[in-house]
């Protein structure tokens, strides 16, 4: 599978701020997608105007003329009559002025109130957050570790539920599509000691409905109807009524040894695979790998329509700066650091230029925050640095609010070094709560 090899070569998601992530395509909200990792439809969603239009009220014009009281009464030649007329005119003029001021103040205040009311529509309570599937049993708040420990996710056309175990956890999940319109495979990690660790496992969805069909296709280098691989030395290492364990040598720009485990979940045969470019595994390593594959599949269950998608859970993980992710389509990838110097990282990319990751946000980053050499302090909660690592420059903002510590990474191509610039930049992806 050409894409799988490409994705295997991308098993270097940078946990130190590197933006070298596969090209991102936006998720299509509330739609099933077209195959092989959480696949998301590449349709662009229409931009949503979160600000209600200000309704301009027309200002009533004051009455500029008055009708004559009695056209036939033309005998106003005596002085007393002139005084009376003068007083009457003055009284009318004063009345008009007072009424005009009253009208202006009334409508002026109403217009001001209308403008203020419109501005409050920027509050997130009046804005619809775009989820992938908000009809599932989604809680208002999750920790990052909760979000990545159990979740629904798109494998390809179908959905599975993953629940982490002691040794198996999510490594990363991306919304990127491959060149043949399949999702990049979701990556899982099995914890072994340093001497026996074999690396990442990737999950895929076949077009087979039984194991015999999978074996037949596998012998011809086929995993799905969109991917035929140039392979040799195909071996069915072990086959039972429950699973298939097999391998082949894939020939592309370089030779790789790939190992596959296939099992039925629901009505579909799913597979996990692992690759190495060094030498083929001996029997001991094959046995270790088979153990990893089996535990991974013990973490997977058929979708129940209730468990929320990981992308939606991430939206409901509290952010600093009183922010919230406003659209699931902006999520480019999710990395689980699994308890190292931070909980994990989420990247955001603009739908108009999905090849570029604009912003990365690190969650649960208190340990990492303490290790960064901050260039300046912006206020009591926010610090800034532009040179965390010698081989790259980024705009880095560390935010501490109560027990929540997060770090924003923004490419140094953007000139951003203060809170106002940061706030303006991330407003593409985040809204005020």
């Amino acid at each position: 599978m050409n894409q799988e090899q490409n994705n295997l070569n991308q098993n270097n998601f940078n946990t130190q701020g590197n933006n070298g992530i596969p090209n991102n395509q936006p998720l299509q909200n509330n739609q099933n997608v077209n195959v092989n990792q959480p696949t998301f439809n590449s349709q662009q969603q229409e931009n949503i105007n979160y600000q209600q239009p200000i309704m301009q009220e027309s200002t009533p014009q004051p009455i500029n003329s008055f009708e004559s009281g009695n056209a036939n009464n033309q005998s106003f030649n005596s002085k007393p009559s002139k005084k009376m007329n003068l007083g009457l005119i003055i009284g009318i003029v004063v009345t008009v002025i007072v009424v005009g001021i009253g009208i202006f103040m009334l409508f002026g205040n109403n217009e001001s109130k209308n403008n203020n009311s419109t501005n409050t529509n920027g509050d997130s309570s009046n804005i619809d957050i775009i989820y992938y599937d908000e009809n599932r049993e989604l809680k208002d708040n999750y920790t990052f570790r909760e979000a990545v420990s159990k979740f629904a996710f798109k494998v390809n056309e179908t959905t599975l539920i993953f629940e982490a175990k002691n040794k198996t956890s999510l490594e990363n999940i991306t919304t990127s599509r491959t060149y043949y319109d399949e999702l990049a495979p979701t990556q899982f990690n099995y914890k072994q000691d340093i001497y026996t660790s074999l690396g990442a496992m990737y999950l895929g969805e076949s077009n087979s409905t039984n194991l015999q069909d999978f074996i037949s296709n596998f012998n011809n280098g086929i995993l799905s109807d969109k991917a035929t691989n140039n392979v040799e030395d195909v071996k069915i290492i072990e086959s039972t009524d429950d699973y298939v364990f097999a391998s082949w040598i894939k020939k592309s720009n370089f030779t790789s040894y790939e190992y596959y485990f296939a099992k039925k979940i629901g009505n579909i045969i799913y597979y996990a695979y692992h690759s190495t470019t060094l030498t083929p595994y001996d029997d001991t390593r094959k046995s270790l790998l088979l153990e990893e594959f089996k535990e991974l599949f013990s973490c997977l269950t058929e979708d129940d329509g209730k468990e929320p998608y990981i992308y939606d859970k991430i939206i409901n993980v509290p952010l600093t700066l009183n922010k919230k992710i406003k659209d699931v389509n902006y999520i480019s990838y999710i990395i689980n650091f699994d308890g190292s110097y931070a909980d994990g990282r989420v990247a955001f990319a603009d739908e108009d230029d999905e090849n570029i990751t604009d912003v990365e946000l690190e969650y649960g980053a208190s340990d990492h925050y303490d290790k960064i050499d901050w260039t300046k302090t912006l206020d009591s909660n926010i610090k800034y640095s532009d040179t965390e690592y010698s081989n790259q420059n980024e705009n880095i903002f560390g935010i501490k609010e109560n027990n929540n510590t997060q770090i924003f990474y923004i490419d140094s191509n953007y000139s951003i070094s203060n809170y106002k610039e940061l706030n303006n930049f991330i407003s593409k992806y985040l809204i005020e709560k």
Side-chain angles (χ1 to χ4, degrees), residues 131-160:
Y131 291 93
Y132 188 72
D133 185 355
E134 61 183 332
N135 296 316
R136 296 188 173 225
E137 296 177 352
L138 187 64
K139 296 194 305 183
D140 292 336
N141 288 286
Y142 297 91
T143 66
F144 186 89
R145 291 186 181 181
E146 285 177 325
V148 300
S149 294
K150 184 180 180 181
F151 51 84
F153 69 108
K154 278 289 183 182
V155 182
N156 198 299
E157 292 283 0
T158 62
T159 294
L160 287 179

Side-chain angles (χ1 to χ4, degrees), residues 62 94-109:
V94 171
T95 301
V96 170
I97 293 173
V98 171
V99 172
I101 292 173
I103 292 173
F104 176 79
M105 293 180 65
L106 174 62
F107 285 94
N109 286 338

Side-chain angles (χ1 to χ4, degrees), residues 156-378:
N156 198 299
E157 292 283 0
T158 62
T159 294
L160 287 179
I161 295 172
F162 171 81
E163 185 170 9
K165 291 194 173 182
N166 290 335
K167 290 188 175 182
T168 304
S169 61
L170 174 73
E171 184 82 5
N172 60 67
I173 188 168
T174 176
T175 63
S176 301
R177 279 183 170 275
T178 68
Y179 64 91
Y180 51 90
D181 199 31
E182 291 187 347
L183 285 169
T186 301
Q187 180 179 337
F188 297 92
N189 182 54
Y190 184 86
K191 295 178 184 175
Q192 292 275 20
D193 61 64
I194 190 171
Y195 302 105
T196 59
S197 180
L198 300 178
M201 298 174 287
Y202 299 85
L203 190 69
E205 175 183 330
S206 79
N207 294 119
S208 304
T209 57
N210 61 73
L211 291 174
Q212 288 307 311
D213 285 345
F214 179 85
I215 291 173
S216 177
N217 288 331
F218 190 85
N219 283 325
N220 294 299
I222 299 171
L223 292 170
S224 73
D225 58 1
K226 292 187 177 182
T228 300
N229 301 279
N230 179 17
V231 300
E232 61 184 34
D233 196 22
V234 177
K235 294 179 180 178
I236 306 301
I237 302 171
E238 187 173 326
S239 177
T240 71
D241 293 337
D242 190 44
Y243 65 84
V244 171
F245 183 36
S247 67
W248 61 32
I249 298 175
K250 184 157 73 174
K251 310 292 287 186
S252 55
N253 293 332
F254 51 87
T255 299
S256 59
Y257 305 92
E258 294 188 346
Y259 297 86
Y260 286 80
F261 180 92
K263 187 173 181 178
K264 191 171 187 177
I265 302 177
N267 295 317
I268 296 174
I269 302 297
Y270 295 90
Y271 60 85
Y273 66 95
H274 170 85
S275 177
T276 178
T277 58
L278 300 176
T279 59
Y281 285 162
D282 58 21
D283 289 342
T284 299
R285 282 186 170 262
K286 288 178 185 176
S287 296
L288 290 172
L289 184 58
L290 180 60
E291 179 183 341
E292 295 185 16
F293 282 145
K294 286 180 177 180
E295 177 161 309
L296 171 59
F297 270 77
S298 73
C299 299
L300 301 171
T301 55
E302 191 176 9
D303 183 36
D304 60 5
K306 298 177 181 179
E307 178 64 32
Y309 283 93
I310 184 172
Y311 335 106
D312 295 342
K313 284 188 170 184
I314 287 295
I315 288 179
N316 286 0
V317 176
L319 303 185
T320 55
L321 303 178
N322 198 38
K323 303 289 187 182
K324 187 165 185 174
I325 302 169
K326 63 184 177 183
D327 189 338
V328 70
N329 293 292
Y330 287 136
I331 296 176
S332 174
Y333 64 82
I334 301 164
I335 297 178
N336 176 26
F337 292 157
D338 201 21
S340 55
Y341 63 91
D343 288 342
R345 185 177 291 188
V346 174
F348 306 101
D350 194 336
E351 289 178 306
D352 295 332
D353 192 356
E354 63 272 7
N355 294 325
I356 297 177
T357 296
D358 282 336
V359 180
E360 292 177 291
L361 175 57
E362 204 163 80
Y363 294 73
S366 58
D367 289 345
H368 192 192
Y369 178 98
D370 293 337
K371 292 178 174 63
I372 294 176
D373 182 16
W374 298 106
T375 306
K376 57 185 176 180
T377 299
L378 303 183

Side-chain angles (χ1 to χ4, degrees), residues 120 122-125 127 129 141 315 317-326 361 379 381-382 399-402 404-406 408 419 422-423 426-427 429-433:
T120 60
D123 185 84
S124 64
S125 62
I127 296 177
I129 303 296
N141 288 286
I315 288 179
V317 176
L319 303 185
T320 55
L321 303 178
N322 198 38
K323 303 289 187 182
K324 187 165 185 174
I325 302 169
K326 63 184 177 183
L361 175 57
D379 66 17
N381 295 327
I382 306 175
I399 299 97
K400 275 194 172 184
E401 291 178 354
N402 299 322
N404 195 2
T405 302
Q406 296 177 339
F408 284 92
Y419 173 71
L422 171 67
N423 192 53
I426 64 178
S427 64
Y429 312 109
L430 310 179
I431 59 170
E432 297 288 336
K433 288 170 55 179

